[in-house]
Amino acid sequence: QLLRHTAGVPDYLFLWSCQLGHHENDLVSQDTALALIQRAGSTDHAPGERHAYSNSHYVLLAEWLRVRTGLDLATLSQSRLWGPWGLRRTGFGADPWAVMPGKVRSYERTPGATGTAWRESAVNLGSWGDGGLWMSLSDALTAECLLMGAEACAPHALSPLVAVVNAAAEDPAGGYGLGLERVAWQGT
């Protein structure tokens, strides 16, 4: 039910946003997420009754793994996934602002902007399960090839990722996540 989002556990990020005295850029740690879930006290609906996405489900799964194996998600995933796969710049971190060479950054549409205006997005999650996973672009590509097979990494499959996207095009997704966007900068 946790994986299928039918457990009914309230989303801890919503609970966090309801707390007075917190700023949206405050770090939400794993312990904070677990405490918010525990304080909620009840489910939003009976387990199995309906589907409702909740980040809390992933946090609880990470906690279940910790209790079951004695290892936190960072250690468990490093020993069973990232290490064996050769991913040296991948892992869960409790500090989203820690320097990691080559780390892929999050981005979001600039509020109030028209067209394809994007900005780097501050991610304030120090929780594990629903977030907190960081990796380099080269590790992301390696993981994609391992998970999807060699065909996913063939040159013809990767060419859209490096194609130039027309920033003025009427693209409903605004070019998000696919291709390189060429824009004018300082008049050039």
Side-chain angles (χ1 to χ4, degrees):
Q1 290 177 335
L2 291 174
L3 283 175
R4 293 186 176 132
H5 295 286
T6 60
V9 180
D11 194 308
Y12 80 90
L13 291 174
F14 171 75
L15 299 171
W16 175 256
S17 70
C18 295
Q19 304 294 307
L20 294 176
H22 294 293
H23 186 271
E24 67 179 29
N25 290 329
D26 289 346
L27 178 68
V28 182
S29 69
Q30 184 75 356
D31 288 341
T32 300
L34 289 167
L36 286 166
I37 295 166
Q38 185 176 20
R39 279 197 306 249
S42 64
T43 59
D44 288 339
H45 56 82
E49 182 179 271
R50 63 182 171 91
H51 176 272
Y53 182 89
S54 174
N55 289 288
S56 296
H57 296 152
Y58 295 119
V59 170
L60 291 172
L61 283 167
E63 181 64 9
W64 177 82
L65 283 170
R66 186 193 66 75
V67 170
R68 176 95 181 185
T69 66
L71 302 171
D72 62 39
L73 189 56
T75 305
L76 187 63
S77 60
Q78 181 61 42
S79 66
R80 298 210 181 155
L81 298 173
W82 321 140
W85 288 358
L87 306 180
R88 296 181 316 277
R89 292 184 176 172
T90 297
F92 286 95
D95 180 2
W97 300 290
V99 174
M100 183 183 100
K103 177 169 79 173
V104 177
R105 296 183 176 144
S106 301
Y107 56 98
E108 64 187 350
R109 186 178 296 280
T110 303
T114 58
T116 56
W118 301 94
R119 68 177 183 188
E120 189 172 336
S121 176
V123 176
N124 58 346
L125 296 178
S127 58
W128 299 338
D130 66 322
L133 176 64
W134 298 100
M135 61 184 8
S136 68
L137 186 56
S138 61
D139 275 8
L141 182 57
T142 299
E144 178 80 8
C145 293
L146 288 167
L147 292 170
M148 302 302 289
E151 180 62 24
C153 295
H156 71 276
L158 297 176
S159 61
L161 300 176
V162 294
V164 176
V165 176
N166 181 356
E170 291 297 321
D171 178 6
Y176 181 82
L178 186 63
L180 302 174
E181 182 180 345
R182 182 174 290 159
V183 296
W185 185 66
Q186 296 184 349
T188 60

